[in-house]
Amino acid sequence: MKNMIKQKMAEVSKLDDDSGEPQRVEEGISVYLRIRPTKRPSKFYSVVEGKRMQWEIPLEEVPNSEFINNTRTKFAFKFDHVLPMDISQEQVFERVGKKVVSNALDGFNSTVFAYGQTGSGKTYTLTGGAERYEDRGIIPRALTMIFQEFRERSDMKWTAHVSYMEIYNEQGYDLLDPSHDTKNVTDLPRVKMLEDEHGNFHLKNLSMHRTNSEEEALNLLFLGDTNRAISETAMNQASSRSHCMFTVFFEGRRVGSDRVLRSKLNMVDLAGSERCHKTKSDGQTLREAQYINTS
């Protein structure tokens, strides 16, 4: 029914427009709850002031097999904002994604990721639907905004590179590897995480692709999506069986200056947690679910 979207603006340097000296900000995380539309919404929950989700479930309404704690009937959860069922994809981006993209272009490493139960709408929120243009998700809309900002911030020369990594059964794979034409994700090059002597982490075998336009970046997104691992379960006809991270790397050089601004924007679609007795997973899908739930 629900999926959660987190924003994270990490503490990094950026250039002050007046002094040219690096400025720093403290780390901050915003948590948004999006409620998936349904024809039969629960009568037991309410949203207070757009930020607080409250549940009040009378004991007589709950089957014995579903009891978790039979001494509590009221639950309350606080978020930065609760996104209602009737919110549009454009409104989600305005609320969640726009600020993250602006921060990345200003020099702050930024991340937006969606997580929640299987079938709650995480992939739809990030990537969007395929039938209507207005159903585009956060990633396509972010790419549109990025190249619009490049044109408007004409005092700097910008370059952008894209990578797309999948984590399937605890192993990383490069979804954009140019040297492989494969139908199986496990045939793709494996990405390895290495740590250098300074404590920095690097991803080996993950390709980066220069993009000069929104169209080129979208083509890379669609190419990576076709290589993703999906399966059908009792709760989701197209269940993502892996975590995926689409990253845009920025580099900006101000005209007449030797200073360089570098940052990256991560947009992460996490595989949904699931209860195997509800999804009726077995065999390979059961093994995938075990990796998903433990990661």
Side-chain angles (χ1 to χ4, degrees), residues 119-175:
S120 59
K122 300 178 298 298
T123 300
Y124 176 78
T125 296
L126 280 181
T127 305
E131 296 182 359
R132 301 187 305 170
Y133 182 76
E134 56 264 36
D135 289 339
R136 291 174 302 148
I138 289 176
I139 298 178
R141 292 176 186 273
L143 295 175
T144 299
M145 179 178 172
I146 286 167
F147 286 96
Q148 286 177 345
E149 289 291 315
F150 282 178
R151 291 188 291 270
E152 293 176 6
R153 304 186 185 200
S154 56
D155 60 325
M156 299 186 69
K157 182 178 180 181
W158 294 93
T159 59
H161 291 77
V162 165
S163 70
Y164 204 176
M165 182 178 70
E166 177 175 48
I167 302 175
Y168 175 72
N169 290 352
E170 297 295 308
Q171 175 63 57
Y173 297 94
D174 183 6
L175 292 176

Side-chain angles (χ1 to χ4, degrees), residues 8-127:
K8 178 176 180 179
M9 283 67 75
E11 182 182 5
V12 293
S13 296
K14 84 176 187 112
L15 301 182
D16 183 86
D17 291 337
D18 299 323
S19 65
E21 293 300 320
Q23 305 294 311
R24 304 190 73 83
V25 295
E26 294 183 356
E27 181 180 293
I29 296 177
S30 300
V31 182
Y32 295 80
L33 175 72
R34 184 178 189 182
I35 306 175
R36 177 176 174 169
T38 177
K39 294 180 180 179
R40 299 173 57 189
S42 172
K43 60 183 179 180
F44 301 125
Y45 84 91
S46 60
V47 178
V48 181
E49 297 180 351
K51 295 183 177 182
R52 187 178 178 88
M53 171 76 77
Q54 293 186 165
W55 291 82
E56 185 170 355
I57 308 175
L59 292 181
E60 61 271 15
E61 296 284 347
V62 184
N64 291 333
S65 59
E66 296 294 328
F67 278 137
I68 296 176
N69 182 346
N70 60 9
T71 63
R72 292 189 62 185
T73 59
K74 296 182 180 180
F75 301 85
F77 307 92
K78 189 175 181 180
F79 304 91
D80 288 276
H81 200 84
V82 177
L83 308 177
M85 291 187 188
D86 59 352
I87 194 169
S88 68
Q89 291 282 73
E90 181 181 5
Q91 291 171 323
V92 171
F93 179 74
E94 289 290 325
R95 175 80 65 173
V96 179
K98 193 171 184 179
K99 182 171 65 174
V100 179
V101 176
S102 294
N103 286 339
L105 289 168
D106 287 338
F108 299 97
N109 291 340
S110 303
T111 297
V112 54
F113 66 86
Y115 72 96
Q117 184 181 356
T118 181
S120 59
K122 300 178 298 298
T123 300
Y124 176 78
T125 296
L126 280 181
T127 305

Side-chain angles (χ1 to χ4, degrees), residues 50 97 151 204 252 276 280 289:
R151 291 188 291 270
K204 183 181 180 181
C276 297
K280 294 179 170 52

